[in-house]
């Protein structure tokens, strides 16, 4: 890590929990900006658009705008354009993210149509975003029916849970596993830990993997996924971090910090060429 020029940072669990800044997070990001390091906030958050995230973070004091944020929904839109152009898509997600799915042909809510008789309402792709109240039996069973009829399965991430101010909440990865097994298919992942997601962030900053650091609270999807691409991985002990998850991980992070507040000191110890 002798030539760091850019920092990739997860949002939920690293900078914020339930959109409230973690101690020292605002100052840490300001210090990183002050030394002219490139920054992309790389997030699997699926409940808000980039503009909404930027507005919320800005109001909390973080020096960011929408162009600094790369979301799983935005990556999903790019993926579908490249791999499933023109596909009719059914979206199962908690939150309105249509603004970040520009160019994606989203069908009406399945409850408004009879997909057995109306072929125009049968999706080519089922998109699974983030979990919430919308993930009830009826919605999951409709998705299962689409998959049985040949729809492809695209998921924004595989996160099993995330940290809120109430504690850990179940996420869509738990439901995704059930859909995959029941429909005998495998989801195409567009957010972390997909390599293309990290590549898009690096391309946006114009740096190579060896010039970047990835900071996250998910050891597998954030940190080790980045390390496999040659990016320096930094795990923080906030958010969804659990000691047992760390011990059971498939490898070890390059660095472990108590929180993102300690990141500027780590970066200060690096000689940037």
């Amino acid at each position: 890590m002798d030539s760091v020029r850019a920092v990739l940072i997860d949002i939920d669990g690293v900078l914020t929990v339930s959109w409230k800044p973690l101690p020292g997070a605002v100052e840490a990001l300001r210090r990183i900006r002050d030394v002219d390091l490139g920054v992309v906030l790389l997030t699997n958050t699926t409940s808000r658009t980039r503009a909404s995230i930027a507005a919320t973070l800005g109001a909390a004091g973080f020096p960011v705008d929408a162009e600094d944020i790369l979301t799983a929904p935005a990556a999903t839109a790019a993926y579908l354009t490249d791999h499933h152009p023109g596909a009719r898509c059914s979206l199962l997600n908690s939150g309105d993210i249509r603004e970040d799915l520009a160019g994606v042909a989203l069908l009406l809510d399945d409850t408004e149509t009879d997909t057995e008789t109306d072929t125009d309402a049968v999706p080519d792709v089922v998109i699974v975003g983030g979990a919430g109240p919308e993930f009830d039996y009826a919605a999951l069973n409709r998705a299962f029916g689409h998959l049985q009829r040949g729809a492809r399965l695209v998921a924004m991430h595989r996160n099993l849970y995330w940290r809120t101010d109430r504690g850990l909440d179940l996420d869509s990865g738990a439901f995704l596993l059930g859909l995959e097994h029941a429909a005998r298919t495998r989801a195409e992942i567009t957010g972390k830990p997909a390599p293309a997601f990290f590549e898009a962030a690096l391309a946006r900053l114009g740096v190579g993997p060896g010039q970047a650091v990835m900071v996250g609270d998910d050891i597998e999807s954030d940190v080790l996924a980045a390390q496999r691409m040659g990016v320096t991985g930094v795990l923080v002990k906030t958010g969804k971090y659990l000691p047992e998850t760390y011990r059971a991980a498939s490898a070890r992070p390059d660095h472990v910090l108590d929180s993102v507040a300690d990141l500027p000191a780590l970066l200060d110890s690096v000689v940037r060429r």
Side-chain angles (χ1 to χ4, degrees):
M1 198 172 69
D2 61 349
S3 186
V4 174
R5 299 188 184 279
V7 184
L8 315 181
I9 307 176
D10 183 32
I11 297 174
D12 193 19
V14 177
L15 297 178
T16 67
V17 167
S18 294
W19 300 105
K20 299 173 184 175
L22 285 166
V26 172
E27 177 59 24
L29 190 55
R30 289 189 179 278
R31 288 179 60 187
I32 292 167
R33 293 285 203 194
D34 287 344
V35 294
D36 293 327
L37 288 172
V39 173
V40 166
L41 305 186
L42 195 64
T43 176
N44 276 351
T45 297
T46 56
S47 61
R48 300 186 181 210
T49 64
R50 295 165 63 230
S52 173
I53 293 170
T56 299
L57 294 179
F62 288 101
V64 299
D65 58 36
E67 294 304 312
D68 299 319
I69 299 169
L70 181 60
T71 65
T76 300
Y79 180 87
L80 290 169
T81 297
D82 290 342
H83 297 272
H84 301 289
R88 295 167 299 181
C89 301
S90 174
L91 174 65
L92 178 56
N93 182 68
S94 184
D96 186 357
I97 54 170
R98 286 172 292 183
E99 180 181 321
D100 280 358
L101 290 174
V104 177
L106 293 176
L107 298 178
L108 293 173
D109 187 336
D110 291 345
T111 60
E112 300 176 17
T113 58
D114 182 356
T115 55
E116 295 288 353
T117 59
D118 184 356
T119 56
D120 289 336
V122 177
D124 304 303
V125 175
V126 171
I127 306 171
V128 176
E134 296 82 357
F135 279 62
D136 58 16
Y137 176 81
L140 289 165
N141 197 47
R142 282 195 298 274
F144 176 51
H146 296 327
L147 296 174
Q148 290 184 89
R149 288 187 285 273
R152 303 293 291 270
L153 180 58
V154 172
M156 296 185 190
H157 59 71
R158 288 190 173 278
N159 296 352
L160 297 173
Y161 51 83
W162 80 97
R163 174 74 64 179
T164 73
D165 51 14
R166 301 181 302 274
L168 295 178
D169 277 6
L170 198 64
D171 207 345
S172 54
F175 302 100
L176 183 63
L177 287 169
L179 285 173
E180 288 180 318
H181 283 282
R184 295 183 177 86
T185 190
R186 183 74 172 171
E188 303 163 41
I189 306 299
T190 57
K192 294 175 295 181
F197 200 33
F198 294 101
E199 290 168 357
L202 296 174
R204 180 173 295 189
L205 295 171
V207 300
Q211 298 173 305
V213 171
M214 174 66 206
V215 186
D217 63 327
D218 186 320
I219 188 169
E220 295 288 350
S221 293
D222 292 342
V223 180
L224 299 183
Q227 287 182 195
R228 285 191 287 271
M229 296 187 62
V231 176
T232 297
V234 179
L235 177 69
V236 292
K237 295 182 178 181
T238 54
K240 66 171 63 174
Y241 169 86
L242 294 171
E244 55 266 37
T245 305
Y246 176 81
R247 290 192 295 268
S250 59
R252 287 290 172 260
D254 294 315
H255 301 275
V256 180
L257 302 176
D258 285 336
S259 77
V260 73
D262 300 321
L263 182 61
L266 175 64
L267 296 175
D268 286 344
S269 69
V270 176
V271 178
R272 288 180 288 275
R273 298 174 181 171

